Amino acid sequence: MKLDMIGLSIDWLIEIIHIGIERIVIVDRDGIIVYIDEAYCEFIGTTFDDAIGRSVQEIIENTRMHIVAKTGEKEIENLQPINGSVMIANRYPIFIEGKLVGAFGTVIFPDPDNLRHFKNKMNNLLEELNFYKNKAVNELTSKYSFDDLIGNSDTFKAAKALGEKVAGSDSSVLITGESGTGKELFAHAIHHSSARSSFPFVAINCASIPEVLFESELFGYEDGAFTGAKKGGKEGLFTVANKGTVFLDEIGDMPLSMQSKLLRALQEKEVQPVGGQKTIPIDLRIIAATNRDLTKMVEEGTFRQDLFYRLNVINIEIPPLRKRKEDIEAISNNLLQKLERKFYRKGTNLSPEVVAKLENHKWPGNVRELENVLERAINVLDGTVIKSEHLPLYIRDQVDKSEIETPVIEASGSLILSNVQPLKETIAKAEKKAIIHALEVTSGDKLAAAKLLGIGKTSFYDKCKVYDIR
């Protein structure tokens, strides 16, 4: 539609340009100014008559208008310093009947008030960006060193010494041990002591990622790779960790379909994002951990043998807490220091009776269970000394092995069974202890506790009434 048909004259268009907050310049194919609005001229210290017909490079500092007029490629939201201010510049090529004839450019915020508002907004955005940048950097660094690994038992010291010895290597490490033994702490410590410590440490829990998302999470994806894909694509965790360390926790839970892709990435030292055509080179050290028997899984065909050999170059086995009871007191004191900071306490310690009970417990949940027990105790603590009454019932009521008397054989050869209780009473005590333990494990959920014990709801409630368990 022609301008005269809608009643717009040149005067109207010029006035509309003046009203807008954007300042405008138009150049021809050779970068010569053919139009510039008066407010723009005033801002850069020139006049309309002086600017028209001259090269845009002579009139506007740091301009790229002449480049856009030559290339035909638009440039959006570029920062352009002019007269000591940072402007936001947009530059568009002008095509007439398919032929490149020049370029049209705008800059915004030349007004001092607007510029001040813009600078404040930019400063706020930069502060927010720095916050998230620092947060991301902190999350991608190792949080523990070998000094944080507490224990003087022979088995634990051997595992720790091996970790320190291989930290400087680039070989893959497989950390094995029961759940809660501190496998991730070892991985952090190895990375912290390695030559890669200044690069990212990325922990990936293989058990928590849905199988359908595994490849896109590890290797990333391109824009439009699948329905719901983030615009612009997403960088994979392996690319994020480049030059650093990837910790694959619960590697035994990795889907079989992903194991072959992981193996290929480790062998070729490259990844291919989902929906992408090009591969991305990666330089990583792999530390894996599992509480499962991978050797048995290989035999059963649920874990690839070639991947197992690739990961199991160096194996570090973390002993369970029940096999390093001499470390329990030292670990407990270390955990208490951490909990004191969390609960704003000071000077908390364990009574000798509590230490004995902790050392007597089997600790199926290992250090993680110990930390939970201590956190529970510090929550109900009135003073500074944790006593038996502050412990959960299943630990408080356990029988100390030293209290159980063994049969004594007299010189005559006769057997004396001292303090032997009737079988019925012994069974009753065992039942009561089992019910209390089940309730502790299920946080008081009686139906769940009955299910754990393999008895019916009615029978469970009856036994709780008999043993006065509330």
Side-chain angles (χ1 to χ4, degrees):
M1 185 179 289
K2 293 183 179 180
L3 292 177
D4 55 359
M5 293 178 64
I6 58 175
L8 286 180
S9 66
I10 294 298
D11 292 338
W12 274 57
L13 292 175
I14 291 174
E15 185 60 27
I16 289 169
I17 289 170
H18 289 166
I19 292 171
I21 64 169
E22 292 185 319
R23 306 280 68 91
I24 291 173
V25 63
I26 302 173
V27 301
D28 64 14
R29 185 77 171 78
D30 298 317
I32 303 300
I33 297 176
V34 296
Y35 177 80
I36 184 170
D37 72 87
E38 291 182 4
Y40 204 165
C41 291
E42 183 181 344
F43 179 70
I44 59 179
T46 188
T47 64
F48 179 84
D49 292 334
D50 187 48
I52 297 297
R54 293 177 62 183
S55 169
V56 69
Q57 293 172 272
E58 296 178 36
I59 302 300
I60 303 174
E61 63 177 309
N62 299 309
T63 185
R64 289 177 54 85
M65 289 292 294
H66 57 296
I67 297 174
V68 174
K70 291 287 185 185
T71 64
E73 298 290 333
K74 67 181 177 181
E75 297 179 354
I76 306 297
E77 294 183 351
N78 278 191
L79 295 178
Q80 181 180 343
I82 303 177
N83 282 2
S85 300
V86 178
M87 318 300 292
I88 302 294
N90 296 313
R91 309 178 187 99
Y92 306 90
I94 301 174
F95 291 92
I96 303 295
E97 296 180 353
K99 182 180 178 181
L100 180 63
V101 296
F104 166 80
T106 67
V107 292
I108 56 175
F109 303 116
D111 181 81
D113 291 331
N114 287 329
L115 181 60
R116 193 178 303 109
H117 171 73
F118 172 68
K119 283 183 176 179
N120 291 336
K121 186 176 181 180
M122 286 296 292
N123 286 334
N124 291 336
L125 288 173
L126 285 172
E127 287 180 11
E128 187 175 354
L129 178 63
N130 286 330
F131 170 79
Y132 286 109
K133 181 180 177 182
N134 292 332
K135 183 180 178 183
V137 168
N138 290 334
E139 288 177 352
L140 295 177
T141 56
S142 51
K143 300 178 178 66
Y144 306 100
S145 68
F146 283 107
D147 292 337
D148 296 309
L149 305 180
I150 309 299
N152 289 309
S153 60
D154 292 339
T155 51
F156 187 78
K157 284 197 296 185
K160 185 174 175 180
L162 179 57
E164 291 175 316
K165 190 172 184 179
V166 303
S169 165
D170 260 351
S171 298
S172 298
V173 178
L174 178 63
I175 305 174
T176 55
E178 296 177 6
S179 179
T181 51
K183 297 186 289 296
E184 184 167 352
L185 269 66
F186 263 80
H188 276 274
I190 291 171
H191 174 75
H192 184 271
S193 298
S194 73
R196 297 175 180 267
S197 60
S198 57
F199 295 100
F201 175 87
V202 176
I204 303 170
N205 190 317
C206 300
S208 66
I209 304 175
E211 185 172 351
V212 293
L213 298 179
F214 231 106
E215 189 173 3
S216 60
E217 285 294 312
L218 266 58
F219 305 150
Y221 58 80
E222 296 292 334
D223 187 7
F226 49 84
T227 303
K230 182 180 177 182
K231 186 175 175 62
K234 181 182 177 182
E235 192 175 23
L237 293 173
F238 272 36
T239 312
V240 171
N242 194 37
K243 297 186 183 300
T245 301
V246 167
F247 174 54
L248 297 171
D249 198 9
E250 308 293 353
I251 188 69
D253 293 296
M254 176 175 281
L256 198 57
S257 60
M258 270 305 298
Q259 292 177 23
S260 58
K261 294 177 181 179
L262 172 62
L263 179 64
R264 183 192 176 281
L266 299 182
Q267 288 176 335
E268 303 300 326
K269 295 184 178 180
E270 62 183 22
V271 297
Q272 183 172 347
V274 175
Q277 301 300 317
K278 296 181 179 179
T279 58
I280 302 172
I282 53 171
D283 173 19
L284 299 171
R285 184 189 195 172
I286 299 293
I287 301 177
T290 183
N291 59 4
R292 303 179 69 178
D293 187 345
L294 292 188
T295 305
K296 186 177 180 181
M297 292 180 67
V298 169
E299 293 172 356
E300 295 171 346
T302 55
F303 198 86
R304 289 182 63 104
Q305 186 178 52
D306 43 8
L307 178 59
F308 173 68
Y309 290 137
R310 190 83 188 180
L311 298 173
N312 195 34
V313 177
I314 300 162
N315 177 227
I316 300 176
E317 185 173 358
I318 314 299
L321 196 55
R322 64 181 174 276
K323 291 187 178 180
R324 43 187 292 230
K325 293 195 172 185
E326 60 267 45
D327 294 337
I328 287 177
E329 185 173 5
I331 294 171
S332 298
N333 289 328
N334 182 262
L335 291 173
L336 279 178
Q337 290 178 11
K338 185 172 81 170
L339 290 168
E340 281 183 332
R341 291 191 293 272
K342 180 179 178 180
F343 292 98
Y344 305 102
R345 285 180 170 271
K346 203 170 184 180
T348 310
N349 53 71
L350 305 169
S351 69
E353 180 189 11
V354 165
V355 172
K357 286 188 177 293
L358 296 181
E359 290 177 347
N360 190 49
H361 185 55
K362 294 292 186 183
W363 298 112
N366 292 293
V367 179
R368 189 177 295 127
E369 182 188 1
L370 175 59
E371 184 171 5
N372 289 342
V373 166
L374 293 174
E375 182 170 344
R376 189 261 186 200
I378 211 167
N379 265 296
V380 298
L381 184 63
D382 293 324
T384 58
V385 180
I386 295 177
K387 300 176 182 178
S388 180
E389 64 203 55
H390 301 125
L391 298 177
L393 286 174
Y394 75 95
I395 293 180
R396 188 194 315 169
D397 293 345
Q398 67 189 351
V399 180
D400 194 325
K401 288 180 180 179
S402 62
E403 296 174 359
I404 302 174
E405 295 193 28
T406 55
V408 178
I409 300 176
E410 286 188 326
S412 61
S414 59
L415 189 65
I416 301 176
L417 298 176
S418 60
N419 288 344
V420 174
Q421 296 176 329
L423 182 60
K424 187 177 180 180
E425 191 174 333
T426 304
I427 292 173
K429 284 187 175 180
E431 272 195 342
K432 181 178 179 180
K433 183 179 176 182
I435 291 170
I436 290 171
H437 189 189
L439 286 169
E440 289 284 349
V441 170
T442 61
S443 300
D445 187 332
K446 292 184 178 181
L447 291 177
K451 191 174 180 180
L452 277 179
L453 294 169
I455 60 176
K457 179 178 69 172
T458 304
S459 177
F460 182 85
Y461 278 97
D462 288 342
K463 290 180 182 294
C464 285
K465 188 178 292 185
V466 169
Y467 299 131
D468 195 27
I469 299 173
R470 294 185 174 85

